[in-house]
Amino acid sequence: DAEITQSPRHKITETGRQVTLACHQTWNHNNMFWYRQDLGHGLRLIHYSYGVQDTNKGEVSDGYSVSRSNTEDLPLTLESAASSQTSVYFCASSEATGSDEQYFGPGTRLTVT
Amino acid sequence: GQNIDQPTEMTATEGAIVQINCTYQTSGFNGLFWYQQHAGEAPTFLSYNVLDGLEEKGRFSSFLSRSKGYSYLLLKELQMKDSASYLCALYSSASKIIFGSGTRLSIRP
Protein backbone atom coordinates (compact mmCIF):
# COMPACT_ATOMS: atom_id res chain seq x y z
CA ASP A 1 0.00 0.00 0.00
CA ALA A 2 1.16 3.53 -0.77
CA GLU A 3 2.12 5.61 2.22
CA ILE A 4 3.95 8.67 3.47
CA THR A 5 6.51 8.28 6.22
CA GLN A 6 8.55 10.65 8.33
CA SER A 7 11.71 10.10 10.31
CA PRO A 8 12.66 10.47 13.01
CA ARG A 9 9.35 10.52 14.89
CA HIS A 10 10.93 12.28 17.84
CA LYS A 11 14.10 14.38 17.95
CA ILE A 12 15.81 16.42 20.63
CA THR A 13 18.59 18.71 19.49
CA GLU A 14 20.56 21.66 20.78
CA THR A 15 20.35 25.26 19.71
CA GLY A 16 22.59 26.00 16.75
CA ARG A 17 22.79 22.47 15.37
CA GLN A 18 21.72 21.57 11.86
CA VAL A 19 18.82 19.12 11.75
CA THR A 20 17.27 17.30 8.81
CA LEU A 21 13.80 15.75 8.94
CA ALA A 22 13.05 13.13 6.32
CA CYS A 23 9.81 12.69 4.39
CA HIS A 24 9.25 9.83 1.96
CA GLN A 25 6.09 9.05 -0.02
CA THR A 26 5.27 6.12 -2.26
CA TRP A 27 2.09 7.63 -3.74
CA ASN A 28 4.12 8.97 -6.70
CA HIS A 29 2.63 12.39 -5.97
CA ASN A 30 4.04 15.48 -7.61
CA ASN A 31 3.17 17.85 -4.75
CA MET A 32 4.85 17.70 -1.35
CA PHE A 33 4.49 20.05 1.61
CA TRP A 34 6.03 20.73 5.00
CA TYR A 35 3.97 22.22 7.83
CA ARG A 36 4.60 22.98 11.45
CA GLN A 37 1.86 22.80 14.04
CA ASP A 38 1.92 24.80 17.25
CA LEU A 39 -0.79 25.30 19.82
CA GLY A 40 -3.04 28.17 18.78
CA HIS A 41 -1.59 28.44 15.29
CA GLY A 42 -2.89 25.42 13.49
CA LEU A 43 -0.87 24.15 10.55
CA ARG A 44 1.50 26.66 8.97
CA LEU A 45 3.13 26.04 5.61
CA ILE A 46 6.94 26.08 5.64
CA HIS A 47 7.96 24.98 2.12
CA TYR A 48 6.34 23.13 -0.72
CA SER A 49 7.29 21.52 -4.01
CA TYR A 50 5.27 20.85 -7.15
CA GLY A 51 7.81 18.49 -8.69
CA VAL A 52 11.46 17.47 -8.96
CA GLN A 53 13.82 20.44 -8.69
CA ASP A 54 10.90 22.73 -7.74
CA THR A 55 10.76 24.31 -4.29
CA ASN A 56 8.77 27.26 -2.96
CA LYS A 57 8.62 29.20 0.29
CA GLY A 58 5.55 29.09 2.48
CA GLU A 59 4.43 31.53 5.13
CA VAL A 60 7.05 30.57 7.77
CA SER A 61 10.11 29.60 5.73
CA ASP A 62 12.83 31.56 7.57
CA GLY A 63 15.44 29.19 9.02
CA TYR A 64 14.30 26.23 6.92
CA SER A 65 15.30 24.81 3.56
CA VAL A 66 14.19 21.93 1.33
CA SER A 67 15.44 20.19 -1.77
CA ARG A 68 13.60 17.92 -4.20
CA SER A 69 15.97 15.63 -6.08
CA ASN A 70 13.40 12.88 -6.76
CA THR A 71 9.65 12.39 -6.62
CA GLU A 72 9.59 10.41 -3.38
CA ASP A 73 11.55 12.60 -0.96
CA LEU A 74 11.41 16.14 0.41
CA PRO A 75 13.83 16.52 3.33
CA LEU A 76 13.45 19.57 5.55
CA THR A 77 16.63 21.11 6.96
CA LEU A 78 16.86 23.48 9.89
CA GLU A 79 20.11 25.30 9.19
CA SER A 80 20.74 26.38 12.79
CA ALA A 81 18.08 25.14 15.15
CA ALA A 82 16.43 27.69 17.47
CA SER A 83 14.13 27.14 20.44
CA SER A 84 11.34 28.83 18.47
CA GLN A 85 11.49 25.89 16.07
CA THR A 86 10.35 23.45 18.75
CA SER A 87 7.17 22.10 17.17
CA VAL A 88 5.45 19.16 15.53
CA TYR A 89 6.33 18.91 11.85
CA PHE A 90 4.04 17.30 9.30
CA CYS A 91 4.89 16.35 5.77
CA ALA A 92 2.09 15.94 3.24
CA SER A 93 1.68 15.04 -0.41
CA SER A 94 -1.03 15.43 -3.02
CA GLU A 95 -1.48 14.27 -6.57
CA ALA A 96 -1.36 17.00 -9.17
CA THR A 97 -3.36 20.06 -8.29
CA GLY A 98 -3.94 22.08 -5.16
CA SER A 99 -7.53 20.93 -5.05
CA ASP A 100 -6.49 17.36 -4.40
CA GLU A 101 -6.65 16.14 -0.84
CA GLN A 102 -3.37 16.05 1.00
CA TYR A 103 -2.13 12.88 2.63
CA PHE A 104 -0.22 13.59 5.81
CA GLY A 105 2.67 11.74 7.37
CA PRO A 106 2.58 10.78 11.08
CA GLY A 107 4.55 13.84 12.16
CA THR A 108 7.93 14.51 13.80
CA ARG A 109 8.05 16.06 17.26
CA LEU A 110 11.16 18.24 17.41
CA THR A 111 12.46 19.77 20.64
CA VAL A 112 15.26 22.32 20.51
CA THR A 113 16.95 22.85 23.88
CA GLY B 1 -3.89 38.07 2.28
CA GLN B 2 -6.03 35.35 3.73
CA ASN B 3 -7.70 35.02 7.11
CA ILE B 4 -9.65 32.09 8.53
CA ASP B 5 -11.75 32.11 11.71
CA GLN B 6 -13.26 29.14 13.49
CA PRO B 7 -14.22 28.59 17.13
CA THR B 8 -11.45 27.29 19.34
CA GLU B 9 -13.50 24.73 21.25
CA MET B 10 -16.96 23.16 21.17
CA THR B 11 -18.72 20.52 23.23
CA ALA B 12 -21.59 18.30 22.15
CA THR B 13 -23.46 15.23 23.36
CA GLU B 14 -23.21 11.73 21.96
CA GLY B 15 -25.99 11.09 19.44
CA ALA B 16 -26.63 14.78 18.82
CA ILE B 17 -25.81 17.08 15.89
CA VAL B 18 -23.10 19.75 15.90
CA GLN B 19 -22.23 22.46 13.40
CA ILE B 20 -18.69 23.85 13.22
CA ASN B 21 -18.47 27.19 11.46
CA CYS B 22 -15.63 28.66 9.46
CA THR B 23 -15.47 32.17 8.04
CA TYR B 24 -12.75 33.40 5.75
CA GLN B 25 -11.45 36.43 3.91
CA THR B 26 -9.34 35.99 0.81
CA SER B 27 -8.42 37.86 -2.32
CA GLY B 28 -8.77 34.74 -4.44
CA PHE B 29 -10.72 31.56 -3.78
CA ASN B 30 -10.48 28.12 -5.34
CA GLY B 31 -12.02 25.89 -2.71
CA LEU B 32 -12.35 24.99 0.95
CA PHE B 33 -11.22 21.84 2.76
CA TRP B 34 -12.21 20.26 6.04
CA TYR B 35 -9.80 17.92 7.81
CA GLN B 36 -10.16 15.90 11.00
CA GLN B 37 -7.26 15.51 13.40
CA HIS B 38 -7.30 13.26 16.46
CA ALA B 39 -4.96 14.21 19.29
CA GLY B 40 -1.38 13.16 18.52
CA GLU B 41 -2.22 12.06 15.00
CA ALA B 42 -1.99 13.43 11.47
CA PRO B 43 -4.89 15.30 9.82
CA THR B 44 -7.13 13.27 7.54
CA PHE B 45 -9.26 14.59 4.69
CA LEU B 46 -13.02 14.99 5.19
CA SER B 47 -14.33 17.17 2.37
CA TYR B 48 -13.59 19.71 -0.33
CA ASN B 49 -16.15 22.32 -1.48
CA VAL B 50 -15.79 24.43 -4.58
CA LEU B 51 -19.39 25.38 -5.39
CA ASP B 52 -22.05 26.84 -3.11
CA GLY B 53 -24.27 24.37 -1.34
CA LEU B 54 -24.28 21.34 0.85
CA GLU B 55 -22.32 18.17 0.18
CA GLU B 56 -23.22 15.14 2.23
CA LYS B 57 -20.93 12.24 2.98
CA GLY B 58 -22.42 9.81 5.46
CA ARG B 59 -22.73 11.38 8.90
CA PHE B 60 -20.66 14.38 7.81
CA SER B 61 -21.83 17.24 5.57
CA SER B 62 -20.04 20.39 4.49
CA PHE B 63 -21.65 23.63 3.34
CA LEU B 64 -20.14 26.54 1.43
CA SER B 65 -21.32 30.06 0.65
CA ARG B 66 -18.71 31.82 -1.46
CA SER B 67 -20.52 35.15 -1.43
CA LYS B 68 -20.58 35.19 2.37
CA GLY B 69 -17.10 33.72 2.89
CA TYR B 70 -18.65 31.06 5.07
CA SER B 71 -18.54 27.32 5.47
CA TYR B 72 -19.70 24.84 8.05
CA LEU B 73 -19.13 21.20 8.85
CA LEU B 74 -22.18 19.34 10.14
CA LEU B 75 -21.70 16.16 12.13
CA LYS B 76 -24.77 14.01 12.81
CA GLU B 77 -25.35 11.11 15.21
CA LEU B 78 -22.25 12.04 17.13
CA GLN B 79 -20.04 9.26 18.41
CA MET B 80 -17.33 9.40 21.05
CA LYS B 81 -14.73 8.77 18.33
CA ASP B 82 -15.71 12.11 16.74
CA SER B 83 -13.85 13.87 19.56
CA ALA B 84 -11.07 15.55 17.57
CA SER B 85 -9.96 18.84 16.10
CA TYR B 86 -11.59 19.95 12.86
CA LEU B 87 -9.49 22.09 10.56
CA CYS B 88 -10.89 24.44 7.96
CA ALA B 89 -8.43 25.14 5.12
CA LEU B 90 -8.60 27.57 2.24
CA TYR B 91 -7.24 26.83 -1.22
CA SER B 92 -6.44 30.24 -2.58
CA SER B 93 -5.90 31.40 -6.13
CA ALA B 94 -2.19 31.63 -5.30
CA SER B 95 -2.20 27.83 -5.29
CA LYS B 96 -1.60 27.69 -1.57
CA ILE B 97 -3.56 25.97 1.14
CA ILE B 98 -3.95 27.98 4.35
CA PHE B 99 -5.22 26.23 7.46
CA GLY B 100 -7.29 27.73 10.23
CA SER B 101 -6.31 27.13 13.86
CA GLY B 102 -8.85 24.34 14.22
CA THR B 103 -11.87 23.66 16.42
CA ARG B 104 -11.41 21.14 19.22
CA LEU B 105 -14.65 19.17 19.57
CA SER B 106 -15.34 17.24 22.76
CA ILE B 107 -18.17 14.69 22.86
CA ARG B 108 -19.73 13.89 26.22
CA PRO B 109 -21.77 10.72 26.89
Side-chain angles (χ1 to χ4, degrees), chain A residues 7-112:
Chain A
S7 62
R9 295 293 312 278
H10 301 271
K11 174 79 176 177
I12 300 174
T13 191
E14 295 178 345
T15 301
R17 290 193 181 265
Q18 183 181 79
V19 177
T20 297
L21 308 183
C23 175
H24 179 80
Q25 54 100 1
T26 58
W27 292 99
N28 200 34
H29 284 163
N30 286 323
N31 301 345
M32 295 186 73
F33 309 84
W34 273 105
Y35 296 91
R36 60 178 290 176
Q37 188 171 37
D38 306 288
L39 207 60
H41 286 281
L43 286 161
R44 291 184 291 175
L45 184 63
I46 305 171
H47 282 286
Y48 58 103
S49 168
Y50 287 150
V52 176
Q53 302 301 332
D54 176 74
T55 59
N56 306 279
K57 294 181 178 180
E59 58 180 314
V60 289
S61 60
D62 287 349
Y64 303 94
S65 63
V66 293
S67 61
R68 186 89 182 270
S69 58
N70 58 52
T71 301
E72 296 79 19
D73 299 289
L74 187 70
L76 177 71
T77 297
L78 286 69
E79 306 294 344
S80 177
S83 57
S84 60
Q85 294 177 307
T86 292
S87 186
V88 178
Y89 291 84
F90 286 101
C91 178
S93 71
S94 68
E95 198 163 332
T97 69
S99 62
D100 291 320
E101 67 175 280
Q102 293 188 6
Y103 295 81
F104 283 82
T108 294
R109 183 173 295 276
L110 177 67
T111 302
V112 183

Side-chain angles (χ1 to χ4, degrees), chain B residues 48-97:
Chain B
Y48 179 63
N49 292 66
V50 176
L51 303 176
D52 287 358
L54 185 69
E55 293 200 8
E56 299 184 66
K57 196 184 292 186
R59 293 189 299 114
F60 292 10
S61 302
S62 56
F63 172 84
L64 176 67
S65 169
R66 295 177 64 145
S67 62
K68 295 182 179 178
Y70 169 66
S71 173
Y72 67 73
L73 182 69
L74 191 71
L75 290 74
K76 302 177 185 176
E77 301 169 16
L78 286 169
Q79 302 175 9
M80 297 304 292
K81 67 179 182 180
D82 297 329
S83 292
S85 289
Y86 292 87
L87 313 178
C88 173
L90 192 63
Y91 177 43
S92 74
S93 58
S95 298
K96 292 182 182 178
I97 297 177

